Protein backbone atom coordinates (compact mmCIF):
# COMPACT_ATOMS: atom_id res chain seq x y z
CA UNK A 1 0.00 0.00 0.00
CA UNK A 2 1.22 3.49 -0.86
CA UNK A 3 1.75 6.16 1.75
CA UNK A 4 0.52 9.39 0.14
CA UNK A 5 1.12 12.85 1.57
CA UNK A 6 -2.32 14.30 2.29
CA UNK A 7 -1.82 18.05 2.12
CA UNK A 8 -5.36 19.09 3.03
CA UNK A 9 -8.11 16.75 4.09
CA UNK A 10 -11.58 18.14 4.74
CA UNK A 11 -13.00 16.04 7.61
CA UNK A 12 -11.35 12.98 6.03
CA UNK A 13 -10.58 11.15 9.28
CA UNK A 14 -13.95 12.09 10.75
CA UNK A 15 -15.67 10.52 7.78
CA UNK A 16 -13.76 7.24 8.09
CA UNK A 17 -14.47 6.95 11.81
CA UNK A 18 -18.16 7.88 11.62
CA UNK A 19 -20.58 5.45 13.17
CA UNK A 20 -23.42 5.97 10.70
CA UNK A 21 -23.49 4.67 7.16
CA UNK A 22 -24.82 7.70 5.32
CA UNK A 23 -22.44 8.92 2.66
CA UNK A 24 -20.95 12.36 2.21
CA UNK A 25 -18.83 13.85 -0.54
CA UNK A 26 -15.43 15.15 0.59
CA UNK A 27 -12.61 16.79 -1.28
CA UNK A 28 -9.14 15.43 -0.59
CA UNK A 29 -6.02 17.20 -1.80
CA UNK A 30 -3.14 14.79 -2.41
CA UNK A 31 0.43 15.53 -3.37
CA UNK A 32 1.28 13.84 -6.65
CA UNK A 33 3.37 10.68 -6.23
CA UNK A 34 7.06 10.95 -6.94
CA UNK A 35 8.29 9.68 -10.28
CA UNK A 36 8.68 5.93 -10.23
CA UNK A 37 6.14 5.26 -7.49
CA UNK A 38 3.53 4.09 -9.98
CA UNK A 39 4.21 1.15 -12.26
CA UNK A 40 3.55 1.42 -15.99
CA UNK A 41 0.25 -0.42 -15.56
CA UNK A 42 -1.01 1.73 -12.68
CA UNK A 43 -2.98 4.95 -13.07
CA UNK A 44 -3.33 7.87 -10.69
CA UNK A 45 -6.85 6.60 -9.93
CA UNK A 46 -5.35 3.27 -8.82
CA UNK A 47 -3.06 5.25 -6.55
CA UNK A 48 -5.99 7.06 -4.93
CA UNK A 49 -8.08 3.91 -4.51
CA UNK A 50 -5.20 2.13 -2.81
CA UNK A 51 -5.68 4.10 0.40
CA UNK A 52 -9.44 4.72 0.31
CA UNK A 53 -11.62 2.71 2.71
CA UNK A 54 -14.38 0.37 1.60
CA UNK A 55 -17.84 1.78 2.29
CA UNK A 56 -21.31 0.30 2.25
CA UNK A 57 -24.50 2.18 1.47
CA UNK A 58 -27.04 0.71 3.88
CA UNK A 59 -29.92 2.19 1.89
CA UNK A 60 -28.92 -0.03 -1.01
CA UNK A 61 -27.29 -2.69 1.17
CA UNK A 62 -24.38 -2.89 -1.21
CA UNK A 63 -20.80 -1.80 -1.70
CA UNK A 64 -20.56 1.45 -3.60
CA UNK A 65 -17.69 3.13 -5.47
CA UNK A 66 -15.87 5.35 -3.02
CA UNK A 67 -14.26 7.79 -5.43
CA UNK A 68 -16.63 10.22 -7.12
CA UNK A 69 -14.20 12.21 -9.23
CA UNK A 70 -10.49 12.27 -9.88
CA UNK A 71 -9.12 15.74 -10.54
CA UNK A 72 -6.50 15.90 -13.25
CA UNK A 73 -6.45 19.57 -14.22
CA UNK A 74 -7.60 21.78 -11.37
CA UNK A 75 -6.01 20.13 -8.34
CA UNK A 76 -4.11 17.01 -7.43
CA UNK A 77 -6.63 14.90 -5.58
CA UNK A 78 -10.14 13.54 -5.68
CA UNK A 79 -13.68 13.76 -4.38
CA UNK A 80 -14.89 10.68 -2.51
CA UNK A 81 -18.10 9.47 -0.86
CA UNK A 82 -17.47 8.47 2.72
CA UNK A 83 -19.61 7.80 5.76
CA UNK A 84 -20.30 10.65 8.20
CA UNK A 85 -22.74 11.75 10.90
CA UNK A 86 -24.61 14.04 8.55
CA UNK A 87 -25.22 14.33 4.84
CA UNK A 88 -22.71 16.58 3.09
CA UNK A 89 -23.17 20.24 3.73
CA UNK A 90 -24.22 22.49 0.90
CA UNK A 91 -20.84 24.22 0.74
CA UNK A 92 -18.82 20.99 0.69
CA UNK A 93 -20.96 19.46 -2.06
CA UNK A 94 -20.95 22.72 -4.00
CA UNK A 95 -17.16 22.94 -3.81
CA UNK A 96 -16.89 19.39 -5.10
CA UNK A 97 -19.20 20.21 -7.99
CA UNK A 98 -17.28 23.40 -8.77
CA UNK A 99 -13.94 21.62 -8.84
CA UNK A 100 -15.36 18.97 -11.12
CA UNK A 101 -16.82 21.66 -13.35
CA UNK A 102 -13.56 23.60 -13.44
CA UNK A 103 -11.67 20.43 -14.22
CA UNK A 104 -13.96 19.62 -17.13
CA UNK A 105 -13.90 23.20 -18.41
CA UNK A 106 -10.11 23.36 -18.38
CA UNK A 107 -9.92 20.07 -20.22
CA UNK A 108 -12.52 21.16 -22.78
CA UNK A 109 -10.61 24.30 -23.74
CA UNK A 110 -13.04 27.06 -22.68
CA UNK A 111 -11.80 30.66 -22.71
CA UNK A 112 -13.76 32.36 -19.89
CA UNK A 113 -15.16 30.98 -16.62
CA UNK A 114 -17.81 32.77 -14.53
CA UNK A 115 -18.16 31.67 -10.90
CA UNK A 116 -20.60 32.96 -8.32
CA UNK A 117 -19.98 30.83 -5.22
CA UNK A 118 -18.68 33.02 -2.43
CA UNK A 119 -17.77 32.58 1.20
CA UNK A 120 -15.62 34.02 3.97
CA UNK A 121 -12.06 35.13 3.16
CA UNK A 122 -9.74 32.12 3.19
CA UNK A 123 -6.07 31.53 2.49
CA UNK A 124 -5.80 30.77 -1.22
CA UNK A 125 -4.58 27.21 -0.71
CA UNK A 126 -7.89 26.36 1.18
CA UNK A 127 -11.08 28.14 -0.96
CA UNK A 128 -11.23 25.60 -3.95
CA UNK A 129 -12.15 28.42 -6.28
CA UNK A 130 -8.73 30.04 -5.88
CA UNK A 131 -6.83 26.81 -6.57
CA UNK A 132 -9.13 25.92 -9.44
CA UNK A 133 -8.86 29.40 -10.92
CA UNK A 134 -5.07 29.19 -10.85
CA UNK A 135 -5.23 25.98 -12.86
CA UNK A 136 -7.51 27.79 -15.29
CA UNK A 137 -5.16 30.74 -15.89
CA UNK A 138 -2.33 28.26 -16.42
CA UNK A 139 -4.40 27.09 -19.40
CA UNK A 140 -5.07 30.65 -20.58
CA UNK A 141 -8.63 30.84 -19.20
CA UNK A 142 -9.99 34.09 -17.73
CA UNK A 143 -11.79 33.52 -14.41
CA UNK A 144 -14.41 36.06 -13.34
CA UNK A 145 -15.80 35.67 -9.79
CA UNK A 146 -18.47 37.33 -7.67
CA UNK A 147 -17.00 39.54 -4.97
CA UNK A 148 -19.81 38.68 -2.54
CA UNK A 149 -23.07 40.15 -1.25
CA UNK A 150 -22.02 41.13 2.28
CA UNK A 151 -21.78 44.86 1.69
CA UNK A 152 -21.69 47.60 2.61
CA UNK A 153 -19.49 46.32 5.43
CA UNK A 154 -15.74 46.69 4.92
CA UNK A 155 -13.39 43.72 4.53
CA UNK A 156 -16.11 41.43 3.21
CA UNK A 157 -14.90 40.92 -0.36
CA UNK A 158 -14.35 37.27 -1.31
CA UNK A 159 -12.80 35.45 -4.28
CA UNK A 160 -9.97 37.96 -4.02
CA UNK A 161 -6.98 36.03 -5.37
CA UNK A 162 -5.03 38.35 -7.69
CA UNK A 163 -5.32 35.94 -10.63
CA UNK A 164 -9.14 36.22 -10.39
CA UNK A 165 -11.17 39.11 -11.81
CA UNK A 166 -13.15 40.01 -8.67
CA UNK A 167 -16.44 41.71 -9.49
CA UNK A 168 -18.64 44.08 -7.50
CA UNK A 169 -22.20 45.16 -8.35
CA UNK A 170 -23.66 48.46 -9.52
CA UNK A 171 -27.00 49.79 -10.73
CA UNK A 172 -28.35 50.48 -14.20
CA UNK A 173 -30.16 53.59 -15.40
CA UNK A 174 -33.31 51.44 -15.55
CA UNK A 175 -36.07 51.48 -12.96
CA UNK A 176 -39.06 49.15 -12.58
CA UNK A 177 -40.94 52.03 -11.06
CA UNK A 178 -43.59 52.27 -8.40
CA UNK A 179 -44.52 55.57 -6.80
CA UNK A 180 -45.84 56.15 -3.30
CA UNK A 181 -48.07 59.22 -3.14
CA UNK A 182 -48.84 60.47 0.36
CA UNK A 183 -51.99 62.35 1.28
CA UNK A 184 -50.06 65.63 1.46
CA UNK A 185 -48.91 65.29 -2.16
CA UNK A 186 -45.39 63.99 -1.42
CA UNK A 187 -44.15 61.49 -4.04
CA UNK A 188 -41.55 58.85 -3.21
CA UNK A 189 -40.04 56.73 -5.95
CA UNK A 190 -39.64 53.02 -5.33
CA UNK A 191 -39.51 49.74 -7.23
CA UNK A 192 -41.42 46.48 -7.61
CA UNK A 193 -41.47 43.76 -10.23
CA UNK A 194 -45.17 43.09 -9.59
CA UNK A 195 -47.01 45.78 -11.56
CA UNK A 196 -50.76 45.06 -11.35
CA UNK A 197 -52.83 46.89 -13.96
CA UNK A 198 -56.09 46.61 -12.02
CA UNK A 199 -54.87 48.36 -8.87
CA UNK A 200 -56.17 51.91 -8.87
CA UNK A 201 -53.77 54.57 -7.50
CA UNK A 202 -56.39 55.83 -5.06
CA UNK A 203 -55.65 57.25 -1.65
CA UNK A 204 -56.19 54.55 0.98
CA UNK A 205 -55.79 54.67 4.77
CA UNK A 206 -52.15 54.29 5.79
CA UNK A 207 -51.15 52.12 8.73
CA UNK A 208 -47.75 52.43 10.42
CA UNK A 209 -47.51 49.61 13.03
CA UNK A 210 -46.09 50.72 16.35
CA UNK A 211 -45.08 47.43 17.98
CA UNK A 212 -41.54 46.11 17.47
CA UNK A 213 -42.72 43.02 15.57
CA UNK A 214 -45.36 45.00 13.72
CA UNK A 215 -42.84 47.47 12.38
CA UNK A 216 -41.12 44.61 10.57
CA UNK A 217 -44.39 42.88 9.62
CA UNK A 218 -43.40 39.60 11.22
CA UNK A 219 -45.78 36.67 11.05
CA UNK A 220 -48.85 37.27 13.23
CA UNK A 221 -47.78 40.80 14.18
CA UNK A 222 -50.72 42.45 12.38
CA UNK A 223 -53.45 40.19 13.76
CA UNK A 224 -54.66 42.78 16.27
CA UNK A 225 -54.59 45.70 13.83
CA UNK A 226 -57.35 46.85 11.48
CA UNK A 227 -55.52 46.83 8.15
CA UNK A 228 -58.40 45.61 5.95
CA UNK A 229 -58.24 47.41 2.60
CA UNK A 230 -55.46 49.69 3.80
CA UNK A 231 -51.79 50.25 2.94
CA UNK A 232 -49.24 49.12 5.55
CA UNK A 233 -45.70 50.40 6.05
CA UNK A 234 -43.11 47.70 6.86
CA UNK A 235 -39.45 48.16 7.71
CA UNK A 236 -36.86 45.99 5.98
CA UNK A 237 -34.97 43.35 7.96
CA UNK A 238 -35.45 41.61 11.29
CA UNK A 239 -35.48 38.03 10.06
CA UNK A 240 -38.04 37.84 7.27
CA UNK A 241 -37.64 38.72 3.61
CA UNK A 242 -39.25 41.52 1.66
CA UNK A 243 -41.66 39.24 -0.20
CA UNK A 244 -42.56 37.47 3.04
CA UNK A 245 -43.49 40.81 4.61
CA UNK A 246 -45.89 41.38 1.74
CA UNK A 247 -47.36 37.94 2.30
CA UNK A 248 -47.96 38.77 5.98
CA UNK A 249 -49.65 42.04 5.03
CA UNK A 250 -51.79 40.31 2.39
CA UNK A 251 -52.86 37.60 4.82
CA UNK A 252 -54.00 40.33 7.25
CA UNK A 253 -56.34 41.72 4.58
CA UNK A 254 -54.42 44.83 3.54
CA UNK A 255 -54.61 46.19 0.00
CA UNK A 256 -50.96 47.11 -0.38
CA UNK A 257 -47.59 47.40 1.32
CA UNK A 258 -44.82 49.97 1.44
CA UNK A 259 -41.46 48.46 2.44
CA UNK A 260 -38.80 50.93 3.52
CA UNK A 261 -35.07 50.27 3.46
CA UNK A 262 -33.04 50.45 6.64
CA UNK A 263 -30.10 52.83 6.91
CA UNK A 264 -27.69 50.18 5.64
CA UNK A 265 -29.43 49.71 2.29
CA UNK A 266 -30.21 53.45 2.06
CA UNK A 267 -31.13 54.33 -1.56
CA UNK A 268 -30.38 50.87 -3.03
CA UNK A 269 -33.74 49.35 -4.00
CA UNK A 270 -34.57 46.03 -5.66
CA UNK A 271 -37.50 45.08 -7.88
CA UNK A 272 -39.14 42.07 -6.21
CA UNK A 273 -41.87 39.72 -7.48
CA UNK A 274 -44.21 40.78 -4.70
CA UNK A 275 -47.45 38.98 -3.85
CA UNK A 276 -49.38 42.18 -3.22
CA UNK A 277 -49.28 45.74 -4.67
CA UNK A 278 -46.06 47.08 -3.20
CA UNK A 279 -43.26 49.59 -3.37
CA UNK A 280 -39.77 49.20 -1.92
CA UNK A 281 -38.59 52.71 -1.12
CA UNK A 282 -35.31 54.23 0.11
CA UNK A 283 -34.66 54.78 3.80
CA UNK A 284 -34.99 58.56 3.43
CA UNK A 285 -38.38 58.09 1.76
CA UNK A 286 -39.47 55.83 4.58
CA UNK A 287 -38.62 58.52 7.09
CA UNK A 288 -40.90 60.89 5.16
CA UNK A 289 -43.73 58.37 5.36
CA UNK A 290 -43.25 57.98 9.13
CA UNK A 291 -43.08 61.74 9.70
CA UNK A 292 -46.21 62.31 7.62
CA UNK A 293 -48.14 59.59 9.45
CA UNK A 294 -47.20 61.09 12.83
CA UNK A 295 -48.38 64.55 11.80
CA UNK A 296 -51.78 63.44 10.48
CA UNK A 297 -54.67 61.90 12.38
CA UNK A 298 -55.94 60.11 9.25
CA UNK A 299 -52.91 59.51 6.99
CA UNK A 300 -53.44 58.12 3.51
CA UNK A 301 -51.24 56.82 0.73
CA UNK A 302 -51.51 55.48 -2.81
CA UNK A 303 -49.25 53.28 -4.93
CA UNK A 304 -48.94 53.91 -8.66
CA UNK A 305 -47.12 51.65 -11.11
CA UNK A 306 -45.14 53.03 -14.04
CA UNK A 307 -43.56 49.88 -15.51
CA UNK A 308 -40.00 49.78 -16.81
CA UNK A 309 -38.37 53.16 -17.35
CA UNK A 310 -35.04 53.63 -19.11
CA UNK A 311 -32.57 56.49 -18.69
CA UNK A 312 -34.13 57.65 -15.45
CA UNK A 313 -31.08 57.96 -13.22
CA UNK A 314 -28.38 60.35 -14.31
CA UNK A 315 -26.51 59.26 -11.19
CA UNK A 316 -26.04 55.71 -12.49
CA UNK A 317 -24.05 53.66 -12.03
CA UNK A 318 -24.43 53.57 -8.24
CA UNK A 319 -22.83 50.93 -6.02
CA UNK A 320 -25.38 48.37 -4.83
CA UNK A 321 -25.65 48.29 -1.05
CA UNK A 322 -25.07 44.53 -0.90
CA UNK A 323 -21.87 44.59 -2.98
CA UNK A 324 -19.01 43.40 -0.76
CA UNK A 325 -16.22 45.87 -0.02
CA UNK A 326 -12.51 45.75 0.49
CA UNK A 327 -9.88 46.00 1.72
CA UNK A 328 -9.04 42.37 1.14
CA UNK A 329 -8.42 40.39 4.32
CA UNK A 330 -6.49 37.71 2.46
CA UNK A 331 -4.18 39.96 0.47
CA UNK A 332 -4.47 43.59 1.68
CA UNK A 333 -1.68 44.74 -0.65
CA UNK A 334 -3.95 44.15 -3.69
CA UNK A 335 -6.94 46.42 -4.27
CA UNK A 336 -10.16 44.38 -4.37
CA UNK A 337 -12.71 44.22 -5.90
CA UNK A 338 -11.10 44.78 -9.27
CA UNK A 339 -14.11 46.12 -11.14
CA UNK A 340 -17.84 46.74 -10.88
CA UNK A 341 -20.60 45.95 -13.37
CA UNK A 342 -24.41 45.86 -13.58
CA UNK A 343 -25.74 43.64 -10.79
CA UNK A 344 -28.87 45.34 -9.47
CA UNK A 345 -32.27 44.30 -10.87
CA UNK A 346 -30.98 42.16 -13.70
CA UNK A 347 -33.31 40.08 -15.90
CA UNK A 348 -31.97 36.55 -15.68
CA UNK A 349 -32.90 32.97 -16.53
CA UNK A 350 -34.48 31.26 -13.50
CA UNK A 351 -34.44 27.48 -13.79
CA UNK A 352 -35.40 26.73 -10.19
CA UNK A 353 -38.09 24.29 -9.21
CA UNK A 354 -40.43 24.80 -6.30
CA UNK A 355 -42.07 22.59 -3.69
CA UNK A 356 -40.81 20.23 -1.02
CA UNK A 357 -39.36 17.82 -3.56
CA UNK A 358 -38.58 20.52 -6.15
CA UNK A 359 -41.08 18.98 -8.55
CA UNK A 360 -42.97 22.14 -9.49
CA UNK A 361 -41.36 24.22 -12.23
CA UNK A 362 -40.82 27.81 -11.22
CA UNK A 363 -40.79 30.93 -13.44
CA UNK A 364 -38.55 30.83 -16.49
CA UNK A 365 -37.13 34.30 -15.83
CA UNK A 366 -36.78 36.54 -12.83
CA UNK A 367 -35.26 39.88 -11.91
CA UNK A 368 -32.33 39.13 -9.60
CA UNK A 369 -29.78 41.26 -7.77
CA UNK A 370 -26.32 40.27 -6.60
CA UNK A 371 -22.67 40.17 -7.57
CA UNK A 372 -23.65 36.85 -9.18
CA UNK A 373 -25.44 39.02 -11.73
CA UNK A 374 -22.56 41.42 -12.34
CA UNK A 375 -20.03 38.61 -12.77
CA UNK A 376 -21.58 37.24 -16.00
CA UNK A 377 -21.53 40.76 -17.44
CA UNK A 378 -17.77 40.89 -16.88
CA UNK A 379 -17.36 37.37 -18.21
CA UNK A 380 -19.10 38.49 -21.39
CA UNK A 381 -16.77 41.47 -21.71
CA UNK A 382 -13.77 39.18 -21.19
CA UNK A 383 -15.09 36.90 -23.94
CA UNK A 384 -15.50 39.92 -26.21
CA UNK A 385 -11.88 40.91 -25.66
CA UNK A 386 -10.70 37.32 -26.11
CA UNK A 387 -12.49 37.10 -29.47
CA UNK A 388 -10.78 40.31 -30.63
CA UNK A 389 -7.38 39.35 -29.19
CA UNK A 390 -7.17 35.52 -29.01
CA UNK A 391 -3.47 35.61 -28.11
CA UNK A 392 -3.93 37.77 -24.99
CA UNK A 393 -3.31 36.21 -21.58
CA UNK A 394 -5.92 36.31 -18.77
CA UNK A 395 -3.91 39.04 -17.02
CA UNK A 396 -3.82 41.17 -20.19
CA UNK A 397 -7.59 40.88 -20.58
CA UNK A 398 -8.07 41.74 -16.91
CA UNK A 399 -5.79 44.75 -17.30
CA UNK A 400 -7.71 45.96 -20.35
CA UNK A 401 -10.97 45.81 -18.40
CA UNK A 402 -9.58 47.60 -15.36
CA UNK A 403 -7.56 50.40 -16.99
CA UNK A 404 -10.37 51.48 -19.34
CA UNK A 405 -13.14 51.50 -16.73
CA UNK A 406 -15.17 54.58 -15.81
CA UNK A 407 -14.55 56.34 -12.52
CA UNK A 408 -17.48 58.73 -12.99
CA UNK A 409 -21.23 58.40 -13.54
CA UNK A 410 -23.43 59.72 -16.34
CA UNK A 411 -23.24 63.19 -14.79
CA UNK A 412 -19.46 63.12 -14.93
CA UNK A 413 -19.33 63.02 -11.13
CA UNK A 414 -17.64 60.37 -8.95
CA UNK A 415 -19.55 57.10 -8.74
CA UNK A 416 -21.76 57.13 -5.63
CA UNK A 417 -22.42 54.44 -3.05
CA UNK A 418 -25.80 53.34 -1.70
CA UNK A 419 -25.97 56.57 0.37
CA UNK A 420 -25.46 58.63 -2.81
CA UNK A 421 -22.13 59.80 -1.44
CA UNK A 422 -18.84 59.35 -3.35
CA UNK A 423 -17.87 55.69 -3.21
CA UNK A 424 -14.34 54.70 -2.23
CA UNK A 425 -12.04 52.35 -4.13
CA UNK A 426 -12.95 49.46 -1.84
CA UNK A 427 -16.43 49.64 -3.34
CA UNK A 428 -15.64 50.49 -6.97
CA UNK A 429 -12.25 48.86 -7.53
CA UNK A 430 -10.82 50.32 -10.74
CA UNK A 431 -14.28 51.56 -11.75
CA UNK A 432 -17.33 50.63 -13.81
CA UNK A 433 -16.68 48.41 -16.82
CA UNK A 434 -16.65 50.11 -20.24
CA UNK A 435 -16.79 47.30 -22.85
CA UNK A 436 -16.13 49.41 -25.94
CA UNK A 437 -12.97 50.92 -24.50
CA UNK A 438 -11.77 47.60 -23.02
CA UNK A 439 -11.32 46.08 -26.49
CA UNK A 440 -8.73 48.77 -27.33
CA UNK A 441 -6.87 49.66 -24.09
CA UNK A 442 -3.60 50.97 -25.61
CA UNK A 443 -1.35 49.47 -22.92
CA UNK A 444 -1.72 46.36 -20.76
CA UNK A 445 -0.10 44.99 -17.62
CA UNK A 446 0.69 41.28 -17.99
CA UNK A 447 1.31 38.67 -15.29
CA UNK A 448 2.32 35.12 -16.14
CA UNK A 449 1.20 32.28 -13.86
CA UNK A 450 4.81 31.71 -12.81
CA UNK A 451 5.00 35.36 -11.66
CA UNK A 452 2.58 34.62 -8.84
CA UNK A 453 4.92 32.13 -7.15
CA UNK A 454 7.28 34.75 -5.59
CA UNK A 455 4.19 36.63 -4.44
CA UNK A 456 2.67 33.52 -2.83
CA UNK A 457 5.97 32.76 -1.12
CA UNK A 458 6.01 36.38 0.05
CA UNK A 459 2.70 35.76 1.85
CA UNK A 460 4.68 33.35 4.07
CA UNK A 461 2.81 30.34 2.76
CA UNK A 462 4.62 27.04 3.21
CA UNK A 463 6.06 25.12 0.28
CA UNK A 464 3.15 22.70 0.54
CA UNK A 465 0.67 25.58 0.53
CA UNK A 466 2.12 27.03 -2.66
CA UNK A 467 2.36 23.56 -4.20
CA UNK A 468 -1.40 23.14 -3.79
CA UNK A 469 -2.05 26.42 -5.59
CA UNK A 470 0.56 26.03 -8.31
CA UNK A 471 -0.30 22.37 -9.01
CA UNK A 472 3.37 21.49 -9.07
CA UNK A 473 6.13 20.99 -6.53
CA UNK A 474 7.36 24.36 -5.24
CA UNK A 475 10.26 25.23 -2.97
CA UNK A 476 10.11 28.90 -1.96
CA UNK A 477 13.84 28.78 -1.28
CA UNK A 478 14.30 28.82 -5.05
CA UNK A 479 12.39 32.06 -5.45
CA UNK A 480 13.07 35.65 -4.44
CA UNK A 481 10.00 36.64 -2.46
CA UNK A 482 8.16 39.80 -3.45
CA UNK A 483 5.65 41.97 -1.64
CA UNK A 484 2.07 42.13 -2.85
CA UNK A 485 2.56 45.54 -4.44
CA UNK A 486 5.38 44.19 -6.61
CA UNK A 487 3.01 42.12 -8.72
CA UNK A 488 2.62 43.72 -12.15
CA UNK A 489 -0.95 44.61 -11.24
CA UNK A 490 -3.08 47.31 -12.96
CA UNK A 491 -3.72 49.04 -9.62
CA UNK A 492 -1.49 50.34 -6.82
CA UNK A 493 -1.91 49.68 -3.11
CA UNK A 494 0.76 51.05 -0.80
CA UNK A 495 1.19 50.93 2.96
CA UNK A 496 3.14 53.88 4.34
CA UNK A 497 4.50 54.71 7.77
CA UNK A 498 7.71 56.76 7.64
CA UNK A 499 9.60 55.15 4.77
CA UNK A 500 9.19 55.35 1.04
CA UNK A 501 7.70 52.53 -1.01
CA UNK A 502 8.69 51.94 -4.62
CA UNK A 503 6.85 49.65 -7.03
CA UNK A 504 8.05 48.44 -10.42
CA UNK A 505 5.64 48.04 -13.31
CA UNK A 506 5.92 46.96 -16.94
CA UNK A 507 3.40 47.75 -19.67
CA UNK A 508 3.03 46.31 -23.16
CA UNK A 509 2.02 48.37 -26.19
CA UNK A 510 -1.12 46.90 -27.79
CA UNK A 511 -2.31 50.14 -29.39
CA UNK A 512 -0.60 52.06 -32.15
CA UNK A 513 2.73 50.78 -33.39
CA UNK A 514 4.43 54.11 -32.72
CA UNK A 515 3.02 55.95 -29.71
CA UNK A 516 4.07 58.12 -26.79
CA UNK A 517 2.44 58.14 -23.38
CA UNK A 518 2.90 60.82 -20.72
CA UNK A 519 2.07 60.24 -17.08
CA UNK A 520 -0.56 62.18 -15.15
CA UNK A 521 -1.01 61.65 -11.42
CA UNK A 522 -3.77 62.66 -9.04
CA UNK A 523 -1.83 62.09 -5.84
CA UNK A 524 -3.65 61.02 -2.68
CA UNK A 525 -3.93 63.77 -0.06
CA UNK A 526 -0.71 64.09 1.92
CA UNK A 527 1.21 61.63 -0.27
CA UNK A 528 3.97 62.25 -2.79
CA UNK A 529 3.82 60.11 -5.94
CA UNK A 530 6.89 60.15 -8.16
CA UNK A 531 6.89 58.28 -11.49
CA UNK A 532 10.05 57.61 -13.46
CA UNK A 533 10.31 57.96 -16.37
CA UNK A 534 7.41 60.31 -16.98
CA UNK A 535 7.23 59.49 -20.68
CA UNK A 536 7.00 56.09 -22.38
CA UNK A 537 7.77 56.03 -26.12
CA UNK A 538 6.94 52.86 -28.05
CA UNK A 539 8.17 52.03 -31.54
CA UNK A 540 6.57 48.65 -32.14
CA UNK A 541 3.56 46.63 -31.12
CA UNK A 542 4.03 44.31 -28.14
CA UNK A 543 7.06 46.32 -27.05
CA UNK A 544 7.43 46.41 -23.27
CA UNK A 545 8.64 49.36 -21.20
CA UNK A 546 9.07 49.62 -17.44
CA UNK A 547 8.62 52.40 -14.92
CA UNK A 548 8.74 52.90 -11.16
CA UNK A 549 6.26 54.57 -8.82
CA UNK A 550 7.52 55.86 -5.45
CA UNK A 551 5.13 56.75 -2.66
CA UNK A 552 6.10 58.77 0.41
CA UNK A 553 4.36 60.82 3.09
CA UNK A 554 4.45 64.59 2.79
CA UNK A 555 3.34 65.09 6.39
CA UNK A 556 2.28 63.11 9.41
CA UNK A 557 -1.25 61.80 9.03
CA UNK A 558 -3.73 59.81 11.08
CA UNK A 559 -2.71 56.20 11.62
CA UNK A 560 -5.05 53.67 10.03
CA UNK A 561 -6.65 55.94 7.44
CA UNK A 562 -6.82 55.46 3.67
CA UNK A 563 -6.32 58.04 0.95
CA UNK A 564 -6.91 57.63 -2.76
CA UNK A 565 -5.67 58.84 -6.10
CA UNK A 566 -5.01 57.65 -9.64
CA UNK A 567 -2.26 57.34 -12.21
CA UNK A 568 -2.87 57.76 -15.93
CA UNK A 569 -0.71 57.08 -18.97
CA UNK A 570 -2.09 59.33 -21.71
CA UNK A 571 -1.39 59.25 -25.46
CA UNK A 572 -3.08 60.97 -28.36
CA UNK A 573 -5.68 58.18 -28.47
CA UNK A 574 -5.66 56.28 -25.18
CA UNK A 575 -5.91 56.87 -21.45
CA UNK A 576 -4.65 53.98 -19.32
CA UNK A 577 -5.84 54.60 -15.77
CA UNK A 578 -4.82 52.84 -12.55
CA UNK A 579 -6.37 53.51 -9.11
CA UNK A 580 -4.10 54.27 -6.16
CA UNK A 581 -4.96 53.30 -2.58
CA UNK A 582 -2.58 54.28 0.22
CA UNK A 583 -2.89 53.01 3.77
CA UNK A 584 -1.29 55.22 6.39
CA UNK A 585 0.41 52.95 8.88
CA UNK A 586 1.70 49.41 9.17
CA UNK A 587 -0.82 47.06 7.61
CA UNK A 588 -1.67 43.81 9.32
CA UNK A 589 -0.27 40.59 7.91
CA UNK A 590 -2.36 38.70 5.33
CA UNK A 591 -4.46 35.73 6.33
CA UNK A 592 -2.47 32.50 6.55
Amino acid sequence: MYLPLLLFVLFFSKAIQATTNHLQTYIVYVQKPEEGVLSDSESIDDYYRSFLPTVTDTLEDSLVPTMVYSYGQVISGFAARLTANHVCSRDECAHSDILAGLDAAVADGVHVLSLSLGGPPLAFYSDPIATGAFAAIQKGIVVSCAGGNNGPNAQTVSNDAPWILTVGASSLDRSIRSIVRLGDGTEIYGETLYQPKDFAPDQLPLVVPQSEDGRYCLSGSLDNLDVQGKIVLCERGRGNGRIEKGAVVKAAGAAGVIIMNDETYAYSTTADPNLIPASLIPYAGGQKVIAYAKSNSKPTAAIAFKGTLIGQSIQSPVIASFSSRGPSVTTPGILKPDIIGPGLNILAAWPFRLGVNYTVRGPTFNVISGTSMSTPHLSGVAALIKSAHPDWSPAMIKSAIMTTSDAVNRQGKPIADERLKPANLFATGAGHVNPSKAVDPGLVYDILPEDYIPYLCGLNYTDDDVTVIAHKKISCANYEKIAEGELNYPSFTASLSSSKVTFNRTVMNVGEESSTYKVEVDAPVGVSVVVAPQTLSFRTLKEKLSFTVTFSLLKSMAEGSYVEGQLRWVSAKHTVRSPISVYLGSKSAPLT
Side-chain angles (χ1 to χ4, degrees), residues 343-355:
L344 186 65
N345 297 330
I346 305 300
L347 180 63
W350 190 253
F352 285 92
R353 292 178 179 268
L354 308 175

Side-chain angles (χ1 to χ4, degrees), residues 97-110:
D97 290 342
I98 282 178
L99 284 174
L102 279 168
D103 205 64
V106 171
D108 287 345
V110 301

Side-chain angles (χ1 to χ4, degrees), residues 2 31-40 42 44 47 473:
Y2 305 117
Q31 183 170 307
K32 290 182 179 179
E34 299 291 339
E35 186 176 352
V37 169
L38 299 181
S39 67
D40 293 340
E42 291 173 317
I44 191 67
Y47 174 65
K473 182 65 176 177

